[in-house]
Amino acid sequence: MSCLSRSQENAAAAETEFGYLFRQQLESHRKQPLPINQSSEMDTMAVAVPPAAGPSNGGGMAMAVTMGMGMDISVINQYEENVEHLRQLFSQNHLVSFRIDHIACSAGSSSGDNYMSVVKRVTISQDQEQPITSEAVTVIVKRQIPSLSRRQLYRCEEAFSNEINAYRHLVPLLRRYSQQPLFPLCHIAESHDQSETGEPIIVLQDLKALGYRMKDRLDGLELEHCLLVMKKLAQMHAASLAAQQLESALFAAQVEHMSEIVYCEDAAEFYSTILDTSVQQALDSLSSSNADGSLTTPISLIEGLRPKLFEQLQRNINAAAESPFSVVCHGDLWVNNIMFRSEPDEVIFFDLQAMRRTSPVFDILHFIYTSTRRRLRDDHTDTLLAAYAEAVAKELNQQLKHTPAAKQLDQLSDTFSLQRLTTEYVRQVHYGLAIGMWILPAVTFDPNNLPNLDVMSEQNLTGKEIKCTQTLTSEYHLRIRELVMEFYERGYLQTQRPPV
């Protein structure tokens, strides 16, 4: 998911987690490892350099760093790993088919793109002396952030645990009922890595090595990429429905391993405060550009929604988990948690910290209102919903038509019809407004002006007094106005809302 930052600009960014996950070097001559699962230990450190600016330099991964070059040692240290322990861990889990002679670490995400965990790219090679000709593999390693106060404030441990459980329990089940990959292969997902400190660890396939790339979050996705996402989302949700129909007891047991990390009682006070902060900064932005009075009514309508907004979202998301419309949802589906590949066109999702069971429209709204621009929404919202409904029907038919659950196809097709999907979309559309206000600061942030979340966490463990130090960008103000006027003109800010 995301770590919803208490600061005004990063209130949205907090729910992100992998950020620009794979903007680092792509190693040549590498072979993808075999997926598996488990753990190990010992003591020697690999130190990694922070992500370099600009394009890939061809894959030079530093094993040692010379200090005194203006680098922040704390930034460097968070990418250290116990090399001997990793060697044992990777060998025990048969991560590669060759002898591991060399391991090097580098940052796996850029500044400002990651709030809930430390993401590292780890290169595993056979011959340190001949890196070009030797076998080499890269993987993505996720670890807990070092700051204990930040872990506590942003509920990072709960989020990390939920992602471990998602990869261990839900992803294998969903994979069985999907003809295409939904997520990166998970090699290791353990709450205890069997080292002396016993830290949790997730080791994932490096998607960049397979040709996947991220899109620029500022641009907003075009229709062709949105259609790929909607079809992939339909495959994921249909896999959840197929598993419910064909392995109901197992599905119920695996879903029990998931935990709600945002819209739950333990997190309600913190996250409701963060959402309220996001709404306030949106209102401030609108007020500052309301010289002609055109925004007065939209501002008033949002102020009317504001006091109960988090409570409304919490109630609706949790209630939907018990409805016939419920599926396993990604929970934080926006452009920073999606990678694309061409030839063939393919898309894959990652960052599963917010995975939950609820209505599929929350995934759809989350994606549409964080990852597209208004022009596309005005022209193609109906196109995207139709593509999703058609893909769900197709997937369910393929998965269930020759099974005992075939008799349920008509009922499922009716439940997930375009008409019902559209009705549910409009009924829950305030989630799109809220998540837009929440995430837009992360979409539009200035990477040169980021708050220090560790310092902010140390200063206030309740999150109530954290002050914002980051300046909202002109792009943020433009996008907030765009979002609010869309909701106003469509009648979505009123209690009684018209159809899409």
Side-chain angles (χ1 to χ4, degrees):
M1 172 189 131
S2 359
C3 172
L4 306 156
S5 161
R6 174 69 181 95
S7 71
Q8 291 183 338
E9 298 64 25
N10 273 355
E15 275 204 22
T16 44
E17 189 272 304
F18 260 153
Y20 269 11
L21 184 61
F22 306 109
R23 198 186 287 160
Q24 282 301 101
Q25 301 103 317
L26 173 61
E27 293 285 320
S28 59
H29 298 90
R30 71 189 123 182
K31 174 166 67 175
Q32 286 303 303
L34 305 167
I36 283 192
N37 254 19
Q38 262 190 40
S39 304
S40 181
E41 80 178 68
M42 243 169 125
D43 237 357
T44 311
M45 295 295 180
V47 183
V49 293
S56 169
N57 61 13
M61 303 269 185
M63 189 65 179
V65 175
T66 302
M67 302 302 179
M69 299 172 62
M71 296 180 180
D72 184 342
I73 295 176
S74 65
V75 171
I76 295 170
N77 288 347
Q78 69 178 334
Y79 299 110
E80 286 183 350
E81 278 288 344
N82 181 324
V83 171
E84 191 55 40
H85 175 62
L86 281 188
R87 193 194 316 276
Q88 292 185 31
L89 187 64
F90 292 168
S91 296
Q92 288 182 5
N93 284 275
H94 309 289
L95 213 65
V96 295
S97 58
F98 53 81
R99 184 186 74 251
I100 299 174
D101 292 328
H102 180 66
I103 293 176
C105 305
S106 69
S109 62
S110 297
S111 297
D113 285 330
N114 197 304
Y115 296 85
M116 294 289 273
S117 59
V118 177
V119 180
K120 316 174 188 186
R121 174 170 279 103
V122 175
T123 303
I124 311 163
S125 57
Q126 184 175 26
D127 189 343
Q128 183 175 350
E129 302 302 323
Q130 301 293 331
I132 301 300
T133 57
S134 71
E135 293 186 274
V137 167
T138 59
V139 293
I140 296 299
V141 173
K142 296 183 67 176
R143 290 286 200 178
Q144 285 272 32
I145 55 174
S147 169
L148 295 179
S149 59
R150 187 165 147 198
R151 288 190 199 181
Q152 179 183 342
L153 182 60
Y154 300 125
R155 293 175 56 80
C156 297
E157 292 181 354
E158 289 85 350
F160 206 95
S161 176
N162 199 51
E163 183 162 31
I164 287 173
N165 286 332
Y167 277 115
R168 289 181 66 85
H169 301 286
L170 272 303
V171 169
L173 185 59
L174 296 176
R175 186 184 297 124
R176 285 215 291 273
Y177 295 99
S178 178
Q179 299 183 44
Q180 301 294 328
L182 302 169
F183 316 107
L185 290 176
C186 180
H187 306 294
I188 302 169
E190 295 289 343
S191 57
H192 191 300
D193 65 1
Q194 297 183 15
S195 66
E196 291 182 0
T197 55
E199 289 294 314
I201 186 172
I202 297 173
V203 181
L204 301 170
Q205 179 183 41
D206 183 359
L207 294 175
K208 192 171 181 182
L210 299 179
Y212 286 90
R213 296 294 183 272
M214 299 185 75
K215 298 297 180 182
D216 189 329
R217 63 181 180 271
L218 279 174
D219 291 342
L221 296 178
E222 295 299 329
L223 179 61
E224 62 177 314
H225 293 111
C226 289
L227 288 171
L228 286 174
V229 172
M230 296 302 282
K231 291 173 183 177
K232 180 66 70 174
L233 193 57
Q235 291 170 10
M236 174 184 164
H237 293 163
S240 168
L241 292 167
Q244 289 181 63
Q245 293 295 321
L246 297 175
E247 298 185 78
S248 58
L250 176 61
F251 177 82
Q254 301 297 58
V255 166
E256 284 298 311
H257 291 283
M258 288 193 300
S259 300
E260 176 56 54
I261 67 167
V262 177
Y263 302 101
C264 59
E265 288 305 315
D266 288 345
E269 181 180 5
F270 177 63
Y271 283 124
S272 63
T273 301
I274 289 175
L275 177 58
D276 191 66
T277 300
S278 299
V279 175
Q280 183 59 58
Q281 72 182 12
L283 290 171
D284 291 343
S285 174
L286 296 170
S287 296
S288 67
S289 60
N290 190 34
D292 61 358
S294 62
L295 295 172
T296 300
T297 301
I299 288 171
S300 177
L301 290 169
I302 291 175
E303 287 174 337
L305 294 173
R306 178 182 177 183
K308 299 287 187 181
L309 187 55
F310 184 88
E311 180 183 326
Q312 174 192 338
L313 302 184
Q314 182 179 22
R315 180 176 62 251
N316 291 348
I317 286 172
N318 291 326
E322 307 304 322
S323 77
F325 210 56
S326 71
V327 296
V328 172
C329 287
H330 181 281
D332 189 26
L333 192 66
W334 71 298
V335 66
N336 254 30
N337 293 334
I338 303 169
M339 293 184 79
F340 297 89
R341 181 174 67 181
S342 57
E343 299 179 1
D345 289 337
E346 186 57 88
V347 60
I348 212 159
F349 305 151
F350 53 91
D351 180 6
L352 308 184
Q353 291 185 329
M355 186 171 268
R356 61 169 66 95
R357 184 180 183 182
T358 189
S359 167
V361 299
F362 291 114
D363 268 353
I364 295 171
L365 286 163
H366 197 114
F367 168 69
I368 287 177
Y369 281 103
T370 59
S371 306
T372 67
R373 299 298 299 266
R374 181 177 179 180
R375 173 182 52 81
L376 184 138
R377 297 193 293 269
D378 284 345
D379 294 343
H380 297 299
T381 292
D382 54 349
T383 305
L384 297 179
L385 293 178
Y388 173 88
E390 180 182 353
V392 166
K394 178 181 177 182
E395 288 293 319
L396 286 175
N397 187 60
Q398 290 177 341
Q399 294 292 341
L400 301 181
K401 63 181 177 181
H402 298 307
T403 73
K407 58 189 176 187
Q408 300 296 326
L409 273 172
D410 287 345
Q411 181 181 344
L412 286 169
S413 296
D414 180 61
T415 301
F416 288 84
S417 66
L418 178 58
Q419 180 179 359
R420 292 222 177 167
L421 179 70
T422 300
T423 299
E424 178 75 354
Y425 180 96
V426 175
R427 190 172 76 86
Q428 304 289 5
V429 76
H430 284 168
Y431 178 84
L433 175 67
I435 211 64
M437 291 187 290
W438 211 337
I439 297 292
L440 276 177
V443 174
T444 61
F445 78 84
D446 177 2
N448 297 315
N449 185 23
L450 294 174
N452 188 320
L453 297 185
D454 289 343
V455 172
M456 293 160 63
S457 302
E458 291 289 347
Q459 291 173 345
N460 191 295
L461 288 177
T462 68
K464 293 181 179 179
E465 303 297 331
I466 294 179
K467 303 299 181 183
C468 170
T469 60
Q470 182 185 352
T471 303
L472 292 170
T473 63
S474 59
E475 182 68 16
Y476 166 82
H477 297 295
L478 175 65
R479 298 279 280 270
I480 279 293
R481 184 186 180 103
E482 195 178 77
L483 172 70
V484 169
M485 289 307 296
E486 174 185 349
F487 269 71
Y488 176 60
E489 291 167 8
R490 285 181 173 270
Y492 290 161
L493 295 180
Q494 287 78 6
T495 304
Q496 298 298 321
R497 297 185 287 279
V500 173

